[in-house]
Amino acid sequence: MRYSSVAIPLALAARAAAVESDVWAFGNGFYTGPPTNAHITRATWSLVPPDVPSNYTVNNTDDEVWVSLWIGLSSTAGDYDADLYQPLLNWSPDNQSQGCPAPDDEWCVAASTYTPDGQNGQAYVTVPADTQVDFEVYVENDKVYQVVTMNGKTVSKESDALDNPLLYLYSGDECYTGSGDCGTLQSYSWNNLTIHLSAADENFGDTLSLYSGSSSNGLTTSDKGKTWHTDAIKISKDTFATVSDY
Ligand SMILES: *[C@@H]1O[C@H](CO)[C@@H](O)[C@H](O)[C@H]1NC(C)=O
Ligand SMILES: *[C@@H]1O[C@H](CO)[C@@H](O)[C@H](O)[C@H]1NC(C)=O
Ligand SMILES: *[C@@H]1O[C@H](CO)[C@@H](O)[C@H](O)[C@H]1NC(C)=O
Ligand SMILES: *[C@@H]1O[C@H](CO)[C@@H](O)[C@H](O)[C@H]1NC(C)=O
């Protein structure tokens, strides 16, 4: 089945509007949640990063563009007041502006959490081209743990207090336009996504919403609704909106 919806999650629109003087663009993506009478206790997924964006523009090197790809978990669908546990990939034509040690044609990755008081993030680690990155986010004793792995080795991890039970999981193709625009991002795929719930919800799969250019066979369960899985959610090639589109 192919799900689709035109709406960008409130979340992202709110985040975009919250920073008045800067312009943010969000590309293709998906979200899922909330479960009925349950919360998310664990999620795992993988990604082989696409090529870094092409045809981007930077008009002033003091105001660089950057692009971030992530799946995050939160108690809300993007409320600015809620924490978002979002291990993320980041790329900028000026790696130094982001504290990313990767060369310009590779991404960095780090465990990271958005909080209303700012971003708690770990140091960026280079993702060598064509390398699979594995992500795990889980809740234990009111803490949220993020573990980022490459080739079986943990490369970044973080734990933060859980602000509220996790009800939503959603992706972001996030572009900070800086003094230019983010150009074109090639297609890629969030793979092997598994979501564990605290209690069975046989209808959780129906909450998957794919907006603009994303597609998937959908979430399926083999234990009557406690655990949900999809092999892939494909995010199609996308040219980010430019400043003049706003
Ligand atoms: C970059 O822009 C050029 C000129 O507009 C175009 O021919 C090319 O297809 C673009 N490349 C990508 C990856 O979008
Ligand atoms: C940015 O990448 C270049 C290689 O392209 C590397 O020499 C340099 O050290 C990197 N900068 C930082 C801040 O890591
Ligand atoms: C960047 O420069 C190009 C070419 O001069 C221009 O078309 C574009 O509007 C500029 N973008 C911004 C954000 O100023
Ligand atoms: C999919 O994820 C599960 C849980 O993390 C893992 O055990 C399994 O090896 C992964 N499968 C592939 C094909 O990577």
Side-chain angles (χ1 to χ4, degrees):
M1 190 188 311
R2 192 194 153 103
Y3 299 81
S4 72
S5 141
V6 286
I8 288 185
L10 268 183
L12 303 184
R15 265 161 223 281
V19 188
E20 273 171 46
S21 55
D22 297 325
V23 178
W24 303 70
F26 287 94
N28 302 329
F30 74 93
Y31 63 100
T32 186
T36 301
N37 298 325
H39 50 265
I40 300 170
T41 57
R42 177 184 296 268
T44 54
W45 64 91
S46 300
L47 169 75
V48 177
D51 286 349
V52 301
S54 51
N55 285 359
Y56 55 87
T57 314
V58 178
N59 289 354
N60 174 352
T61 53
D62 289 336
D63 193 10
E64 282 289 350
V65 306
W66 55 258
V67 173
S68 189
L69 311 182
W70 45 265
I71 285 178
L73 288 87
S74 184
S75 58
T76 73
D79 201 321
Y80 216 51
D81 296 329
D83 291 357
L84 173 65
Y85 307 91
Q86 51 165 174
L88 46 81
L89 268 72
N90 183 281
W91 167 85
S92 172
D94 176 4
N95 54 0
Q96 210 138 9
S97 72
Q98 304 297 305
C100 165
D104 292 352
D105 59 352
E106 289 176 351
W107 296 85
C108 274
V109 70
S112 194
T113 299
Y114 163 87
T115 79
D117 300 325
Q119 193 81 22
N120 290 338
Q122 303 305 303
Y124 281 123
V125 176
T126 300
V127 181
D130 302 324
T131 301
Q132 176 171 312
V133 190
D134 300 313
F135 297 91
E136 178 178 22
V137 176
Y138 63 96
V139 181
E140 210 169 83
N141 297 329
D142 287 334
K143 282 183 126 179
V144 183
Y145 293 83
Q146 300 175 41
V147 184
V148 182
T149 306
M150 284 192 277
N151 298 317
K153 183 167 171 262
T154 298
V155 295
S156 189
K157 61 179 179 175
E158 172 166 342
S159 66
D160 300 272
L162 172 68
D163 63 342
N164 280 296
L166 303 177
L167 299 178
Y168 295 87
L169 178 149
Y170 55 93
S171 71
D173 269 11
E174 181 175 3
C175 151
Y176 169 66
T177 59
S179 59
D181 67 72
C182 299
T184 298
L185 180 65
Q186 296 302 316
S187 65
Y188 66 98
S189 182
W190 296 109
N191 294 325
N192 196 17
L193 171 66
T194 303
I195 302 170
H196 300 251
L197 303 180
S198 58
D201 172 6
E202 292 195 21
N203 297 318
F204 181 71
D206 297 341
T207 68
L208 178 64
S209 171
L210 302 164
Y211 58 87
S212 41
S214 64
S215 59
S216 171
N217 292 331
L219 290 164
T220 57
T221 183
S222 53
D223 58 8
K224 298 197 165 64
K226 190 128 192 260
T227 309
W228 290 87
H229 177 82
T230 186
D231 287 337
I233 297 180
K234 190 169 187 298
I235 308 292
S236 46
K237 176 175 165 176
D238 192 22
T239 297
F240 284 103
T242 61
V243 172
S244 56
D245 295 332
Y246 289 83

